[in-house]
Amino acid sequence: MFRNDLKWSDVTPKAQFLNRRQIMAAGAATLMAPRAFAAGYSTSEKQNTFEEITNYNNFYEFGLDKTDPARSAGALTVDPWSVQIDGLVDRPGMYDLADVLKMGPIEERIYRLRCVEAWSMVIPWNGFQLSHLLNKVGVKSGARYVAFQTLQRPSEMPGQRQGFLDWPYREGLRLDEAMHPLTLMATGLYGEELPKQNGAPIRLVVPWKYGFKSIKSVVRISLVADQPDTTWKQTNHREYGFYANVNPTVSHPRWSQATERRIGGGLFNSRQDTIMFNGYGDQVASLYAGQDLSRDY
Ligand SMILES: Nc1nc2c(c(=O)[nH]1)N[C@H]1C(S)=C(S)[C@@H](COP(=O)(O)O)O[C@H]1N2
Ligand SMILES: [Mo]
């Protein structure tokens, strides 16, 4: 059903064409790198299939099972959609999705997604850098964090009729993390409109952090002075911190983060070592210089 909806067909094919060239250029340079992360923004690792990416999801608004979102997210109305941008910004307002999509060039970014549950996937997202949006709306001095909220609509989100989490789902980034060129607002995957189970029509993607930071179906982005409350930290601050950087040396209290299971990797040999910052250390380690990441987990 998602594949036949060509609403953004005027946007993605051109972006994909441009990005194939970028990716091919980056690919040649990355052949020598051990895990192919050294150059460019995309990994050259084998991509998960569309079927894997859209049938093994965490989206608690639609239930706790990995297959619940694929089964029940179809009922979500994503048109019309608007995003409230407020707080310490020069141009606050309710922005129609169409206007949000114009805030930056749509690119293809092939990123690893590493869930805190110690599984991972490789996903070819389409989206634009959050930095472009923030520059368009104008960040006021005094803003140090960005807070995000997911839609709250229990009539269409059965999980919100139960108390799995404190709704709406909330996430946050420090401003320098939000401005980092790796940080994406995803609006599609595999060149298709973003499937609802993956957070349609627009979701955050922060590839060096555990998957729960990548909040889905975003309706509000607020620039704030103080570190905002985030759903998982609020639920269990001993197990989930604000930073949530992928870190093989800092265990979750109930399990190791040293290795991960690649979804679709086959029965044998599907566990692999987890890489610091999910492999993006060259680009992001400097953001945390001087910080103790066992304390700021
Ligand atoms: N609103 C919302 N966003 C969310 C979640 C959620 O339950 N609700 N789950 C998070 C978790 S734990 C992960 S691992 C990723 C999964 O993204 P995917 O299903 O597109 O792979 O979404 C994140 N974003
Ligand atoms: Mo996750």
Side-chain angles (χ1 to χ4, degrees):
M1 121 191 235
F2 308 109
R3 287 165 175 242
N4 293 331
D5 187 339
L6 297 176
K7 206 172 98 196
W8 295 330
S9 59
D10 53 339
V11 179
T12 40
K14 190 163 124 234
Q16 276 185 286
F17 167 75
L18 290 170
N19 278 286
R20 285 227 174 81
R21 280 166 46 205
Q22 287 171 3
I23 286 149
M24 283 165 75
T30 52
L31 279 177
M32 290 178 300
R35 294 285 288 269
F37 278 109
Y41 296 123
S42 292
T43 175
S44 59
E45 281 173 284
K46 183 169 182 274
Q47 294 164 37
N48 280 94
T49 65
F50 186 88
E51 284 64 34
E52 288 162 349
I53 296 166
T54 57
N55 287 288
Y56 191 89
N57 301 100
N58 274 335
F59 200 167
Y60 279 18
E61 286 84 341
F62 295 101
L64 301 183
D65 287 351
K66 297 284 179 281
T67 52
D68 284 340
R71 202 175 317 114
S72 29
L76 182 66
T77 306
V78 297
D79 182 12
W81 193 273
S82 53
V83 180
Q84 180 177 349
I85 304 178
D86 61 7
L88 296 166
V89 292
D90 296 327
R91 285 169 286 284
M94 287 290 278
Y95 289 82
D96 281 343
L97 181 66
D99 296 321
V100 176
L101 294 179
K102 286 182 205 137
M103 291 198 182
I106 304 285
E107 302 178 36
E108 184 182 66
R109 297 281 183 89
I110 304 163
Y111 283 164
R112 294 154 51 87
L113 182 139
R114 170 54 160 84
C115 179
V116 73
E117 297 163 333
W119 51 265
S120 63
M121 291 203 209
V122 174
I123 303 179
W125 301 108
N126 308 99
F128 61 89
Q129 290 181 195
L130 176 59
S131 64
H132 294 306
L133 179 152
L134 295 175
N135 288 332
K136 282 263 157 63
V137 298
V139 177
K140 284 188 171 166
S141 70
R144 289 168 59 234
Y145 292 89
V146 187
F148 303 85
Q149 268 182 33
T150 292
L151 177 73
Q152 180 153 30
R153 191 183 289 157
S155 62
E156 292 185 350
M157 295 176 139
Q160 289 183 339
R161 303 198 289 265
Q162 303 186 253
F164 303 142
L165 293 173
D166 181 33
W167 314 109
Y169 195 101
R170 273 168 267 107
E171 259 308 333
L173 295 173
R174 216 168 56 191
L175 186 58
D176 59 346
E177 299 176 323
M179 291 297 286
H180 193 281
L182 283 169
T183 303
L184 206 68
M185 295 306 298
T187 56
L189 63 85
Y190 268 117
E192 312 279 348
E193 183 172 338
L194 195 60
K196 292 177 184 177
Q197 58 267 52
N198 295 91
I202 184 164
R203 60 90 60 88
L204 180 69
V205 177
V206 193
W208 70 93
K209 292 179 179 285
Y210 290 122
F212 68 84
K213 297 297 286 184
S214 293
I215 182 172
K216 296 177 171 183
S217 304
V218 170
V219 292
R220 186 173 180 189
I221 301 174
S222 308
L223 278 289
V224 296
D226 299 318
Q227 190 180 104
D229 280 345
T230 56
T231 296
W232 282 103
K233 186 180 171 203
Q234 202 175 318
T235 300
N236 189 338
H237 65 92
R238 254 180 30 84
E239 300 194 353
Y240 309 104
F242 176 81
Y243 285 95
N245 291 316
V246 174
N247 188 339
T249 72
V250 176
S251 294
H252 183 281
R254 289 182 282 137
W255 59 82
S256 165
Q257 297 290 20
T259 64
E260 65 201 52
R261 180 173 59 94
R262 176 58 52 84
I263 299 302
L267 276 180
F268 305 103
N269 214 11
S270 62
R271 281 208 93 80
Q272 54 190 60
D273 290 344
T274 290
I275 315 172
M276 187 67 199
F277 296 118
N278 206 19
Y280 291 95
D282 287 350
Q283 288 106 315
V284 301
S286 61
L287 296 177
Y288 310 102
Q291 259 177 277
D292 176 357
L293 295 181
S294 64
R295 198 197 55 203
D296 294 341
Y297 54 92

